[in-house]
């Protein structure tokens, strides 16, 4: 009997979970449509067009994964438009970054309020609403996303050179400084998944062939330095209650696991997927944070009661697929398809299994119901669909 290819294995597993091929095809097409419908005329990708606290803003973190999903779908034109927008926004920040670097090198204190923001208005400005600005991960991620897309589709990366230089110079100068994490919390810590994203950016641009020789060499050195720092510091050493050790740590000195750490393995490759550290990290995430294939951010999460995030189920599924476990990946994918609304829209999180239910109402009162659609959820869905071989190559 002929062995089944990954797409056939995935489809069979999806069928076992009661998910039809027709529904998958619909959700793939709908995800592309949601992302491109809400993409701004100038190329910016909003995080969520209707959610009160995100309305009017584009995050580099969300955009990196959303554009990667679109790139895998095959929509080269709209992904190019996104990277054109980021590159333009960052190029306009050249002077600001030069000043930040000069100040830092003079040994003066650079306040967080002067740093490049975490999220931009669609015109490329800082927001006027207070936010947890200063997160370096997005700068590494944008570099990673632009280079990955350019390599995949044969796009000339040099068209984004000036923006890439700004992102690189900023990340290179400040990577050692503590900042807010992926979830915009704990500015006083060094976060494992922030380091993973910085590694990915340095590694990609160090070998990207578009920066000058000095910057390229520095990027290669920094990739090594970040990786070494991660391996030496953001790793658990084991405790009586935790037989899974070593695994990557939420932050240096905090032995908890955070689902975003999976990105250090796939797609950022800061650690090899075959290493004991990688296997243990995914095991710890599944043990502590995955409930019936819906993945929580971290055990202490109280945001909207601490529900399960579609984009994190996709991230864990992506890691499973990369490790060759197509059936395991398909189980996560199935769960995600089942969380989409009837019309196909995907929320940021769902409340079926809340870690801290007593906090849910407080957030609904503050910001309204959970962000839906969240473009990052749709982007991650496209990525995992592609990993499972479910996206038609005719797009
Ligand atoms: C999340 C961030 C995300 C932002 C926009 C926040 O609630 O913690 O990771 O970038 O929403 O989607």
């Amino acid at each position: 009997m002929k062995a089944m290819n990954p797409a056939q294995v995935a489809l069979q597993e999806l069928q076992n979970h009661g998910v039809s091929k027709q529904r998958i095809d619909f959700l793939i097409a709908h995800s592309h449509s949601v992302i491109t419908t809400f993409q701004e005329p100038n190329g910016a990708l909003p995080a969520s067009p209707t959610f009160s606290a995100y309305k009017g803003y584009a995050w580099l973190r969300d955009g990196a994964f959303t554009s990667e999903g679109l790139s895998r779908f095959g929509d080269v034109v709209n992904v190019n438009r996104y990277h054109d927008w980021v590159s333009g926004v960052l190029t306009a920040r050249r002077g600001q970054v030069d000043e930040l670097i000069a100040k830092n090198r003079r040994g003066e204190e650079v306040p967080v309020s002067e740093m490049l923001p975490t999220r931009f208005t669609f015109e490329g400005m800082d927001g006027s609403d207070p936010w947890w600005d200063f997160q370096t991960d997005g700068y590494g991620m944008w570099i990673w996303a632009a280079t990955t897309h350019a390599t995949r589709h044969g796009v000339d990366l040099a068209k984004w050179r000036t923006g890439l230089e700004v992102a690189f110079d900023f990340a290179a100068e400040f990577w050692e400084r503590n900042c807010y994490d992926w979830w915009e919390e704990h500015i006083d810590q060094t976060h494992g998944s922030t380091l993973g994203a910085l590694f990915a950016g340095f590694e990609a641009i160090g070998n990207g062939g578009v920066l000058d020789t000095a910057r390229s060499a520095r990027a290669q050195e920094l990739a090594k330095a970040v990786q070494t720092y991660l391996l030496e510091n953001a790793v658990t050493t084991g405790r009586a209650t935790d037989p899974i050790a070593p695994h990557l740590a939420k932050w240096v000195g905090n032995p908890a696991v955070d689902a975003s750490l999976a990105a250090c393995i796939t797609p950022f490759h800061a650690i090899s997927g075959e290493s004991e550290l990688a296997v243990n990290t995914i095991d710890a995430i599944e043990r502590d944070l995955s409930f019936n294939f819906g993945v929580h951010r971290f055990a202490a999460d109280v945001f909207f009661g601490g529900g399960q995030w579609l984009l994190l189920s996709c991230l864990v599924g992506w890691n499973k697929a990369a490790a060759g476990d197509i059936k395991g990946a398909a189980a996560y994918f199935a769960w995600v398809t089942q969380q989409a609304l009837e019309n196909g829209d995907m929320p940021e999180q769902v409340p079926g299994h809340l870690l801290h239910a007593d906090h849910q109402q407080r957030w609904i009162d503050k910001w309204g119901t959970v962000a839906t659609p969240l473009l990052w959820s749709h982007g991650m869905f496209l990525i995992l669909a592609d990993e499972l071989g479910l996206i038609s190559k005719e797009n």
Side-chain angles (χ1 to χ4, degrees):
M1 212 172 69
K2 240 178 105 197
M4 293 199 293
N5 67 34
Q8 288 166 329
V9 174
L11 283 172
Q12 184 151 81
E13 187 61 16
L14 285 159
Q15 215 169 45
N16 295 342
H17 285 262
V19 181
S20 70
K21 169 95 170 54
Q22 203 186 6
R23 181 69 174 160
I24 297 163
D25 289 345
F26 167 74
L27 289 174
I28 290 171
H30 186 71
S31 289
H32 174 255
S33 157
V34 166
I35 296 169
T36 50
T37 302
F38 292 112
Q39 184 170 25
E40 287 291 302
N42 69 4
L45 287 169
S48 180
T50 46
F51 183 63
S52 65
Y54 304 169
K55 213 172 165 172
Y57 289 99
W59 274 253
L60 294 181
R61 176 176 41 253
D62 299 46
F65 289 106
T66 305
S67 66
E68 170 66 5
L70 216 51
S71 174
R72 283 165 174 256
F73 181 87
D75 188 346
V76 182
V77 171
N78 286 318
V79 179
N80 286 349
R81 291 205 305 122
Y82 173 65
H83 294 309
D84 286 346
W85 176 78
V86 179
S87 184
V89 165
L90 294 185
T91 301
R93 301 293 184 128
R94 178 74 262 172
Q96 181 184 353
V97 168
D98 287 343
E99 275 171 36
L100 290 172
I101 293 173
K103 202 166 181 174
N104 199 39
R105 299 213 174 153
R106 287 195 301 268
E108 288 170 35
E109 173 65 19
V110 182
V112 160
S113 59
E114 289 179 16
M115 292 289 190
L116 294 189
T118 297
R119 58 180 202 168
F120 294 89
T121 67
F122 304 147
E123 293 71 42
M125 299 296 134
D126 290 20
S128 44
D129 320 284
W131 200 255
W132 298 270
D133 273 318
F134 190 43
Q135 303 169 23
T136 48
D137 63 277
Y139 290 87
M141 282 179 199
W142 175 62
I143 295 172
W144 165 81
T147 48
T148 304
H149 168 69
T151 306
R152 175 179 298 119
H153 291 292
V155 174
D156 183 8
L157 189 61
K159 71 203 214 103
W160 302 312
R161 180 185 287 121
T162 53
L164 289 164
E165 284 171 354
V166 172
F168 171 71
D169 291 351
F170 179 68
E173 188 70 18
F174 295 109
W175 76 270
E176 284 174 291
R177 198 165 147 164
N178 288 343
C179 66
Y180 290 108
D181 65 6
W182 283 36
W183 316 128
E184 319 194 290
E185 297 182 347
H186 305 290
I187 192 171
D188 47 353
Q189 304 297 344
T190 308
H191 305 277
S193 46
T194 300
L195 293 171
L198 289 163
F199 167 83
F202 293 147
E203 176 77 5
I205 206 64
N207 300 301
V210 290
L211 297 190
D212 53 70
T213 320
R215 280 192 176 97
S216 298
R218 185 153 176 246
Q220 287 171 19
E221 274 164 30
L222 284 172
K224 284 203 197 84
V226 174
Q227 189 175 43
T228 305
Y229 187 88
L230 177 75
L231 291 173
E232 288 179 357
N233 299 286
V235 170
T236 61
T237 47
R239 41 190 168 135
T241 52
D242 192 354
I244 305 180
H247 66 69
L248 288 174
K250 183 165 165 60
W251 67 67
V252 175
N254 179 349
V257 75
D258 186 298
S260 61
L261 289 166
C264 294
I265 309 159
T266 292
F268 296 151
H269 304 300
I271 61 172
S272 152
E274 278 144 33
S275 62
E276 185 197 8
L277 186 57
V279 172
N280 284 353
T281 300
I282 299 299
D283 284 354
I285 291 171
E286 291 199 281
R287 179 195 59 184
D288 293 354
L289 301 174
S290 174
F291 181 81
N292 199 18
F293 305 108
V295 178
H296 297 279
R297 298 194 296 181
F298 52 97
D301 189 9
V302 296
F303 186 51
F304 281 89
Q308 293 156 298
W309 285 52
L310 281 68
L311 66 95
L312 290 174
S313 290
C314 291
L315 179 61
V316 175
W318 189 1
N319 271 268
K320 293 263 164 195
D325 179 4
I326 300 297
K327 262 180 88 163
Y332 282 95
F333 189 75
W335 181 85
V336 176
T337 63
Q338 286 157 347
Q339 310 314 312
L341 306 188
E342 195 48 42
N343 74 355
D345 283 1
M346 294 187 186
E348 178 185 66
Q349 60 168 289
V350 290
H353 182 261
L354 293 175
L355 295 175
H356 303 280
D358 45 327
H359 287 264
Q360 184 187 26
Q361 194 57 43
R362 165 166 83 83
W363 284 98
I364 297 176
D365 293 345
K366 186 176 158 87
W367 281 353
T369 47
V370 165
T372 313
L374 185 85
L375 271 64
W376 188 2
S377 296
H378 285 282
M380 293 298 285
F381 180 79
L382 290 177
I383 292 172
L384 187 51
D386 182 52
E387 281 292 306
L388 295 174
L390 301 175
I391 295 189
S392 146
K393 289 298 155 200
E394 277 138 44
N395 295 314

